[in-house]
Each structure stands twice: as C-alpha cells, then as structure tokens.
Amino acid sequence: MARGSDDALAGQVLSATDRRHLLPEAVLWDMDGTLVDTEPYWIRGEHELVEAHGGTWSHEQALALVGNPLPESARLLQRAGVDLPVEEIVTYLLKRVGEQVREQVPWQPGALELLSALRAEGVPCALVTMSYRALAQPIVELAPAGAFDVLVCGDEVEHGKPHPEPYLVAAERLGVDVTRCVAIEDSPAGIGSARAAGAATLGVQAVVPVRRQAGLSRTPTLERVDLALLRRIAAGEVVDLMAEDDALSAGGPH
C-alpha cells in the first residue's frame, strides 16, 4: 500500500478514536419508567392487591413507590392492609407485571433508537433496575441484539436505590469509571442513586415529575436524546431541555 494511503487510513482511525472519546464510557439505564413504560403495570398490580385485602390505594400512594426497592414497596403495601409476607407481595407483583409484559413490552418512545445508536458506536450499556432478574431478563432479551452488556437487578444488590450501590456495581462489572458514564433515570430514588454514585445523570420525565436540580440534566422524552446530547452530558455540561422548553413557552405569544 502506498505511503499516502497509510497516512489517510491512520487519519481516519485517529478521527474515529477521537469521536469515541467524546462519548460516555458507558450508558447506565434504569428500566421501569425509563426504558419501558411499565409503571402503569406496577400500579395496576398494587391496586388489585390492596383492594383484594379490603384496603384502598390512591394514585398518589402508588407514585410514592416509583423507583423503590421491591421489599420497601411491599412493606408500604402491608401498611395499606395487605396481610401477606413481604416475599409473597413481591412475588405477586412480579408475576402480574410479567404477565402484562408478555402481552406487550411498552418501550418508551425513542428508547430502541437510542440503544441501537449506542450499540453501533460500541458504547457499552448496563441495565440497572430494582425489578428482579426474572422480570428484567425477558425485557433485555427483547431489546436490540447485544444492547446490554451488564444487568444489575434489585435481587442482586444489598442496598437498593437511592443507595449508590446498584450503579457502582454496574460500572464495576463493565470495567469503567462511573464518573465517566451517563445514567438515564426517571424517578427520584433512581436519580439519587445515580448521582450518589458519581455518574452524570439525565432525568427523563415519565409518571413522576423530574424536579429541577443543580447539576441534573433533564428531558421530557427520550425522543430528544441522541449521541450528540450524551456527548455534551458526558463532557460535564448540564443540558436541561425541560427548562429550555419552559423558557420558550414563557417567551412565546400570550
């Protein structure tokens, strides 16, 4: 091969390497509410369980459970009148959500496209969920092939979200620096977990509000998240699309 061709090839490789370095070392995904819109499935199961035991369960109570470790949620359901051991409550909820998922996996808009783009660029991804592996594994298997390199589940960690352990475990298993990762979350507990671990965090609006916080990037939907946005967040920029939308609305015609 001619010397000029060698130089051109080296330039192309260097350019690709430089672009890769601008991306996060890994993207760490929450599952329920973030990747898949399963929170209504959980809420439906909670209502059914409480009502079967003669209690009442409000939508506000259900929202308070979003992102919590399952045993903690089970204890709150006990206080609402569910006269079952924690383990049986967790088993029931997993079974009901699993039944609904098998009927239809409700991918969040933009989720599959972003997973595919990350895979194409060779960015490793981890699924970090408080759901148990029995529920999370089938969802991973229905994602684009090879989308997730690591799966960290609620029944595999000692401390659930908002403790940083789940995200620290995910980064360790991937062999990456968690502070060079971007975590994508939708719940206060999940956002707290990711930020406590040191990951740059993107909050996605789902069933509970993503409150404005110093240092937290936000978006109303994954449909507005692409590789360019993740590069900005990984580089340390706080990108608040929700605040930008609010500013545009406020400045619009009245």
Side-chain angles (χ1 to χ4, degrees), residues 93-113:
L93 291 174
L94 287 168
K95 178 176 180 291
R96 284 296 291 123
V97 175
E99 289 170 350
Q100 295 172 87
V101 165
R102 281 190 290 274
E103 293 177 7
Q104 180 183 7
V105 179
W107 300 104
Q108 289 285 23
L112 294 178
E113 293 81 359

Side-chain angles (χ1 to χ4, degrees), residues 21-88:
H21 285 166
L22 293 175
L23 288 165
E25 286 194 4
V27 175
L28 315 176
W29 291 77
D30 173 53
M31 187 176 81
D32 296 294
T34 301
L35 180 69
V36 288
D37 187 20
T38 47
E39 294 298 356
Y41 292 177
W42 290 101
I43 291 171
R44 185 179 303 162
E46 293 159 14
H47 276 283
E48 291 171 352
L49 190 57
V50 173
E51 290 165 9
H53 285 260
T56 58
W57 190 244
S58 70
H59 187 64
E60 290 69 28
Q61 286 174 299
L63 293 182
L65 269 57
V66 172
N68 284 349
L70 285 174
E72 181 180 332
S73 295
R75 285 187 282 271
L76 291 172
L77 289 167
Q78 285 178 328
R79 295 177 196 170
V82 178
D83 187 19
L84 292 173
V86 165
E87 295 78 8
E88 289 189 28

Side-chain angles (χ1 to χ4, degrees), residues 109-129:
L112 294 178
E113 293 81 359
L114 184 56
L115 282 172
S116 295
L118 289 166
R119 185 65 178 170
E121 287 290 330
V123 179
C125 288
L127 191 65
V128 187
T129 176

Side-chain angles (χ1 to χ4, degrees), residues 5-237:
S5 298
D6 288 339
D7 290 343
L9 180 60
Q12 291 173 3
V13 171
L14 179 61
S15 176
T17 301
D18 287 344
R19 287 197 301 272
R20 175 66 181 83
H21 285 166
L22 293 175
L23 288 165
E25 286 194 4
V27 175
L28 315 176
W29 291 77
D30 173 53
M31 187 176 81
D32 296 294
T34 301
L35 180 69
V36 288
D37 187 20
T38 47
E39 294 298 356
Y41 292 177
W42 290 101
I43 291 171
R44 185 179 303 162
E46 293 159 14
H47 276 283
E48 291 171 352
L49 190 57
V50 173
E51 290 165 9
H53 285 260
T56 58
W57 190 244
S58 70
H59 187 64
E60 290 69 28
Q61 286 174 299
L63 293 182
L65 269 57
V66 172
N68 284 349
L70 285 174
E72 181 180 332
S73 295
R75 285 187 282 271
L76 291 172
L77 289 167
Q78 285 178 328
R79 295 177 196 170
V82 178
D83 187 19
L84 292 173
V86 165
E87 295 78 8
E88 289 189 28
I89 294 174
V90 169
T91 298
Y92 174 84
L93 291 174
L94 287 168
K95 178 176 180 291
R96 284 296 291 123
V97 175
E99 289 170 350
Q100 295 172 87
V101 165
R102 281 190 290 274
E103 293 177 7
Q104 180 183 7
V105 179
W107 300 104
Q108 289 285 23
L112 294 178
E113 293 81 359
L114 184 56
L115 282 172
S116 295
L118 289 166
R119 185 65 178 170
E121 287 290 330
V123 179
C125 288
L127 191 65
V128 187
T129 176
M130 289 297 92
S131 287
Y132 287 7
R133 182 170 286 266
L135 177 60
Q137 188 67 48
I139 291 175
V140 167
E141 292 171 358
L142 292 168
F148 290 101
D149 302 86
V150 163
L151 178 54
V152 178
C153 301
D155 52 340
E156 300 171 348
V157 293
E158 181 178 354
H159 304 289
K161 302 173 185 179
H163 194 279
E165 181 186 349
Y167 281 99
L168 293 174
V169 169
E172 181 181 4
R173 290 182 183 175
L174 287 171
V176 297
D177 180 351
V178 70
T179 66
R180 298 180 64 85
C181 297
V182 173
I184 305 179
E185 271 283 359
D186 74 301
S187 70
I191 289 169
S193 174
R195 299 194 73 189
T201 305
L202 173 63
V204 185
Q205 185 87 5
V207 299
V208 294
V210 176
R211 305 293 185 189
R212 192 171 187 173
Q213 301 178 31
L216 176 66
S217 295
R218 299 189 300 165
T219 180
T221 172
L222 286 175
E223 292 178 291
R224 293 176 62 181
V225 181
D226 57 14
L227 297 181
L229 184 72
L230 294 179
R231 286 188 180 98
R232 292 167 64 190
I233 296 172
E237 184 178 348

